[in-house]
Amino acid sequence: MSRSLILVVDDSKSIREKLRLILVDNDFDVILRDNGEAGVLAALEYYPDLILMDYNMPEMNGLKASRMLKKYPQTRSIPIALFTDTEDIKNKVKSFEIGVEDYILKGIDHKELIARISGLLYWKNDRERIIRDKDKLAGLLDNFSDAVAIVDNAAEIMFFNRSAADRFGLVPEVIKAGNLRKVLPECEETDEIIMAVEERRELEELELEVERNGGVRIYRISVRRVQLDYTEDIGAAVFFSDITAEKEAEKLKAEFHSMIAHEMRTPISVIMGYSNLILDGSTGEISGMQQEFLEGIASNGDVLRKLVDDFLEVSRLENKFVNLDAAEFDLVELIEKTVKGLRLLAENKDLELQFNPEEESIRINGDSDKLEHALINIIENAIKYTEEGGITVECSRRDGGVEVRVSDTGIGMSEEEKGTIFNSFERLEKAEKKKIKGTGLGLAIVKEIINAHQGVVRVESVESEGSTFYINLPDLPDPDRSDRTADEAVQTAAD
Ligand code: ADP
């Protein structure tokens, strides 16, 4: 280990000499100066490990010289021990106030002097190591492309990396960057982040849009607790991953899928149109076998069209393209039409399909095409998952809105199963076992459509006895509330 260099500043030659002998004897290198100004210059030139300085010197005294040394960034961290003849409390306090590390009486025992010097050097090395570690950590975090802010439990920023500075306009030199709330946009997501920090919770996968320099960036936020020595909880690290490009790609992909699905609709319609034309005899007589084959083409075309429609609807809804084309219409009329269209499907399975409206006409505001789609999905399911008995559709006014109920006498489902059926691509095991065809998209679409109408859909069911799906729609949807999440549209029976 290299020897430590000590700068001794004293106007008395005999004291300088005495100190030099003691220090050299204890393996220190020594520089001597006889006045404050020369001491400051020597400190700037040699950057010693420690300065022993006389308090009382003519012109620039030890206190003045120390004040200067504690101001310069180059010398600020060199420990200074001031030497005096008398124990003057006032001077002692002043010295400590400007950052001097020790205050020593000249008559001190040699051994104690060396022990104090060793203590100060140990402390200096320790401090330098901490600063080095901190710089290393800061350097490491600066290389992260993610923005990182370390905050205390009141969300006051204690540290941030370069990426955070660039993205949120923080000034790296400013140690007190302020509260995290001030750097983030005013929105629900920011509230959620701050709340998680304050409540000492971790947070994952929250998306936040930040507008800066005329552009919008989307960040995926995670909040992690920060602990010192695995015990002391000092706050949280908030990570901001820029996912703008990812989101853009997702949107492009969704648009591409939607375009392909759209393009598929036309050829399917043409195939079905021609098969139906031939089937209804418009092109002349057809044989029994031709009729059978054509019916196969038409019914499979129908399945294909429904699949494409579901697919289109899901990609539209998932990408928040739920634009309701709302107008006033008669719900009873719409259900009648829907039931009529599905009657053949029910009859093919020898199931009864009834519609019992409570009133002749119930006018509501909504997107009749989308609501028809939702009704078809629910009634078709009722037919699909029922082997005996029948399906009853009812419609009545309820609590300032309307309620549509679709009951079946089918396979039903358990409490647990009820919780999952409204998720995309979710199918129950027994549907798979019974080889009943489906995509698991139908009810996800229903959920999105009903949500867009600010309504609620739920199911009550008893296994092997049957299910009832309830759709509750408010009378006149409030357009300002169409931003709620689709999950709000699903109620469990427990609600
Ligand atoms: P699928 O295309 O599979 O029918 P859905 O989203 O329409 O997709 O339905 C999801 C799952 O919910 C179905 O696979 C089925 O297991 C269950 N399900 C839906 N409706 C009923 C019903 N009326 N009776 C029993 N199970 C049903």
Side-chain angles (χ1 to χ4, degrees), residues 377-378 381-382 384-385 408 411-413 421 423 426-428 431 437-444 467 469:
N377 285 0
I378 290 190
N381 273 351
K384 228 165 42 170
Y385 298 106
D408 64 53
I411 59 174
M413 62 194 89
I421 55 167
N423 300 339
E426 197 72 58
R427 304 203 68 222
L428 300 184
K437 284 198 185 121
T439 54
L441 288 175
L443 291 179
S467 315
F469 283 80

Side-chain angles (χ1 to χ4, degrees), residues 69-109:
L69 290 167
K70 289 294 174 197
K71 259 190 203 151
Y72 294 133
Q74 305 96 301
T75 53
R76 188 181 294 151
S77 60
I78 305 172
I80 301 175
L82 283 181
F83 246 19
T84 59
D85 302 308
T86 50
E87 173 114 33
D88 183 318
I89 295 293
K90 252 202 217 152
N91 289 348
K92 206 171 176 178
V93 169
K94 260 193 260 167
S95 306
F96 285 133
E97 270 174 2
I98 63 161
V100 161
E101 281 76 4
D102 207 355
Y103 195 88
I104 300 174
L105 277 176
K106 277 188 180 163
I108 190 171
D109 174 81

Side-chain angles (χ1 to χ4, degrees), residues 137 150-153 158 200-202 223-239:
L137 183 71
I150 313 278
V151 295
D152 67 14
N153 290 323
M158 299 192 284
R200 303 179 180 212
R201 275 188 289 114
E202 299 212 323
V223 177
R224 295 252 164 280
R225 301 303 308 163
V226 177
Q227 288 187 330
L228 273 193
D229 296 335
Y230 305 104
T231 49
E232 193 194 344
D233 182 326
I234 59 160
V238 186
F239 295 87

Side-chain angles (χ1 to χ4, degrees), residues 296-309:
I297 293 173
S299 73
N300 278 291
D302 217 19
V303 172
L304 201 55
R305 189 174 55 191
K306 173 133 197 345
L307 259 174
V308 169
D309 280 352

